[in-house]
Amino acid sequence: MNMTTPIVDFVRQYAGSGISRLHMPGHKGQSLLGFEPLDITEIRGADELYEPEGIIAQSEANATALFGTVHTYYSTEGSSQCIRAMLFLALQGAPDMGHRPVLLAARNAHKALLYSAALLDFDIRWLWAAADASGALCSCPVTVQQLKKELQQLAEQGKKPFGVYVTSPDYLGGMQDIAALGAVCRQAGVPLLVDNAHGAYLRFLPENRHPIALGAAMCCDSGHKTLPVVTGGAYLHLGAAAPVQGEAAVRGALALFGSTSPSYLILQSLDRCNRTLSQGYPKKLEQCCRQLADLRQRLNSRACACHAPVPLALWGAQQEPLKLTLDAAALGLTGTVLADQLRREQIECEYADPRYVVLMFTPENPQQDHQRVQAAMERVLCAAPAQIPIPISAAGEFAELERCARQCCTIRQAVFAPQQRIPVQEAEGSICAMPTVSCPPAIPIVVSGERITTAAVRLMQRYQINEVAVIRDSRENTK
């Protein structure tokens, strides 16, 4: 495919024209770090991100064709901007049900969802992890039966959610059954919204596993997480079932949450990525996935020979193929200790918690990276103790957290209330103000507006959360 790159072409031509730059930005194209000649603003001919009629519109049309969507829109502020816009559009497209808007959402959500609830003032009905889940902080598998049950319970209360929201893939690489969940949503007349930030590449696998192809109404992708795109480049994808299809409405939603000064460096990166995706990328992706499958198999075989009580590398039909997720408990270690050992081997991981380590690969990783991980893990395995205890699942702790969770005010009220930060060990009985979740999409131990319980304090300490923001003077009166 002869894929054009209209944004890249325009900016390079402008950078080489020698024109006097009597416009923003202030560096005037003079090299300080090296990229400045290619850093422009919305001058004549450069088009406008939220009202495109020229080169940006052409580039987005290329991306739309590549991803096979009804329409793909660019974001230069990551998936966070797309998440807010997606939820705004879902609210706009929902009929007036005569009750406060409610979203049905899997609990392992990025904090962008919680900030969206504060800004847009809607309630969230949480879908917690199924009973047989692993108890990992980042994972929250939702079953079809569970989703049907929750939709039915809401219907019995005279409520209909304006959307069902799931994160897939999650931070450990777990994937929801989007096709099955999407079928339930279509039957209920509710759009399925997917935070697919970690799965932009899924469209280009031999079997298309992208959420839009599997029936999602809308989803966001962080191009920069798994595709050759610089940080901040993302996509908002609309499928056939999107509740709002008008381009002006979608542009308006993105503009509502975006800067009026979008980065043309990021736009060029998204534009250039289109050509990369059209020139043999699926073949390179398939080869990378095969290498990782072989590496997982070798690591698991080696760990099994060392009498590991659980598989070392997570792997299966519900795992995405580009993440190498290591269960440090298989080696009698914590995830943070294993991550430190890998750093000493010149390997920087994506994520580590008390149990897991996540290594993210793409076709851009040189062969040396695969070999280095293999060699480093061989050394770690050689040092593993002869007797490794069976790890204790945290599923019971999350079940207790679910049982005790109690919403005392709306998320918006909590986020905008007068608040203070206090040590976690002093927080029991207070009402959470800001989300207790770090950057990875993970299960918020306490959500804004919820009362902090003994179970919540225990889990926060386990995950090394030392302080929490609470509503001032909100401690429960225990006298």
Side-chain angles (χ1 to χ4, degrees):
M1 182 187 300
N2 185 22
M3 180 63 67
T4 60
T5 54
I7 303 176
V8 171
D9 296 345
F10 173 86
V11 175
R12 286 183 177 176
Q13 181 181 14
Y14 185 77
S17 68
I19 197 168
S20 296
R21 298 192 183 200
L22 301 182
H23 57 76
M24 299 181 287
H27 55 64
K28 305 301 181 181
Q30 302 303 308
S31 286
L32 300 172
L33 296 174
F35 59 76
E36 287 84 358
L38 301 177
D39 182 36
I40 65 169
T41 188
E42 294 174 316
I43 57 175
R44 183 175 180 179
D47 212 356
E48 296 184 28
L49 180 57
Y50 301 123
E51 295 182 15
E53 297 178 342
I55 59 175
I56 295 176
Q58 294 167 29
S59 184
E60 286 186 343
N62 289 340
T64 298
L66 283 165
F67 281 94
T69 64
V70 170
H71 206 304
T72 290
Y73 298 83
Y74 288 161
S75 163
T76 62
E77 298 174 58
S79 281
S80 295
Q81 180 188 18
C82 298
I83 287 169
R84 295 177 183 118
M86 181 166 63
L87 291 163
F88 176 83
L89 290 167
L91 276 168
Q92 292 287 305
D96 184 4
M97 298 296 294
H99 57 78
R100 270 181 60 79
V102 59
L103 178 74
L104 197 53
R107 180 83 172 193
N108 64 328
H110 191 279
K111 57 186 175 183
L113 169 61
L114 299 171
Y115 292 151
S116 299
L119 292 170
L120 298 171
D121 195 19
F122 58 79
D123 294 331
I124 302 177
R125 175 83 164 255
W126 294 108
L127 292 163
W128 291 77
D132 59 349
S134 67
L137 185 68
C138 293
S139 296
C140 187
V142 176
T143 66
V144 165
Q145 294 75 17
Q146 183 183 10
L147 178 57
K148 287 180 176 179
K149 179 181 177 182
E150 293 290 342
L151 286 167
Q152 180 60 36
Q153 287 180 351
L154 282 171
E156 290 170 357
Q157 298 167 16
K159 296 180 180 180
K160 183 177 182 179
F162 68 87
V164 171
Y165 181 101
V166 296
T167 301
S168 179
D170 62 37
Y171 221 78
L172 298 184
M175 298 182 68
Q176 304 280 6
D177 189 345
I178 298 298
L181 298 179
V184 174
C185 288
R186 283 193 299 277
Q187 187 175 13
V190 176
L192 177 62
L193 317 173
V194 181
D195 175 355
N196 184 56
H198 284 250
Y201 74 95
L202 295 172
R203 164 68 179 89
F204 305 98
L205 292 171
E207 179 185 356
N208 185 351
R209 299 177 69 185
H210 194 269
I212 296 298
L214 297 178
M218 291 186 283
C219 81
C220 67
D221 296 358
S222 288
H224 68 90
K225 285 184 170 62
T226 57
L227 299 180
V229 173
V230 299
T231 299
Y235 310 94
L236 175 61
H237 300 294
L238 267 65
V244 176
Q245 294 282 0
E247 184 172 340
V250 180
R251 301 279 183 199
L254 286 163
L256 181 63
F257 301 105
S259 170
T260 55
S261 300
S263 167
Y264 269 78
L265 295 172
I266 297 175
L267 286 173
Q268 288 171 77
S269 182
L270 289 164
D271 186 46
R272 182 61 181 82
C273 182
N274 289 337
R275 178 171 289 176
T276 298
L277 296 176
S278 71
Q279 294 179 334
Y281 176 80
K283 185 176 180 180
K284 291 193 297 182
L285 176 63
E286 186 177 10
Q287 181 180 5
C288 181
C289 292
R290 279 201 306 268
Q291 282 185 284
L292 285 171
D294 291 342
L295 179 55
R296 288 187 196 93
Q297 189 172 29
R298 289 196 299 272
L299 291 177
N300 282 338
S301 296
R302 183 75 171 80
C304 182
C306 293
H307 307 292
V310 292
L312 173 56
L314 304 191
W315 192 16
Q318 293 305 310
Q319 287 289 129
E320 59 149 314
L322 281 189
K323 278 195 176 79
L324 179 60
T325 301
L326 303 174
D327 187 347
L331 307 171
L333 302 173
T334 66
T336 49
V337 167
L338 177 56
D340 285 339
Q341 292 186 6
L342 292 175
R343 286 189 188 97
R344 289 195 285 272
E345 302 275 358
Q346 292 187 287
I347 297 167
E348 184 60 40
C349 71
E350 168 63 27
Y351 171 79
D353 69 15
R355 180 160 178 176
Y356 296 99
V357 171
V358 176
L359 305 174
M360 290 179 65
F361 285 80
T362 78
E364 308 306 316
N365 282 102
Q367 190 62 33
Q368 168 189 289
D369 293 346
H370 294 260
Q371 295 167 349
R372 184 174 284 169
V373 170
Q374 171 75 40
M377 289 305 301
E378 279 290 339
R379 286 188 279 274
V380 172
L381 281 159
C382 285
Q387 295 291 329
I388 302 173
I390 297 174
I392 300 172
S393 171
E397 294 177 87
F398 285 104
E400 183 182 356
L401 194 69
E402 179 183 2
R403 285 194 300 271
C404 298
R406 182 159 64 93
Q407 195 80 24
C408 298
C409 63
T410 69
I411 293 174
R412 180 182 178 86
Q413 288 169 335
V415 167
F416 290 105
Q419 54 189 260
Q420 60 184 356
R421 295 193 67 83
I422 62 174
V424 162
Q425 63 268 25
E426 300 175 10
E428 184 176 349
S430 297
I431 297 174
C432 177
M434 301 301 286
T436 56
V437 62
S438 57
C439 183
I443 295 173
I445 295 172
V446 189
V447 167
S448 306
E450 287 182 349
R451 185 77 67 182
I452 298 174
T453 63
T454 302
V457 169
R458 189 163 54 244
L459 268 174
M460 283 189 279
Q461 291 174 328
R462 175 176 177 177
Y463 284 93
Q464 300 175 342
I465 299 172
N466 299 317
E467 287 190 338
V468 60
V470 301
I471 296 177
R472 197 180 303 156
D473 301 324
S474 63
R475 188 182 299 278
E476 195 168 39
N477 185 0
T478 57
K479 293 182 180 179

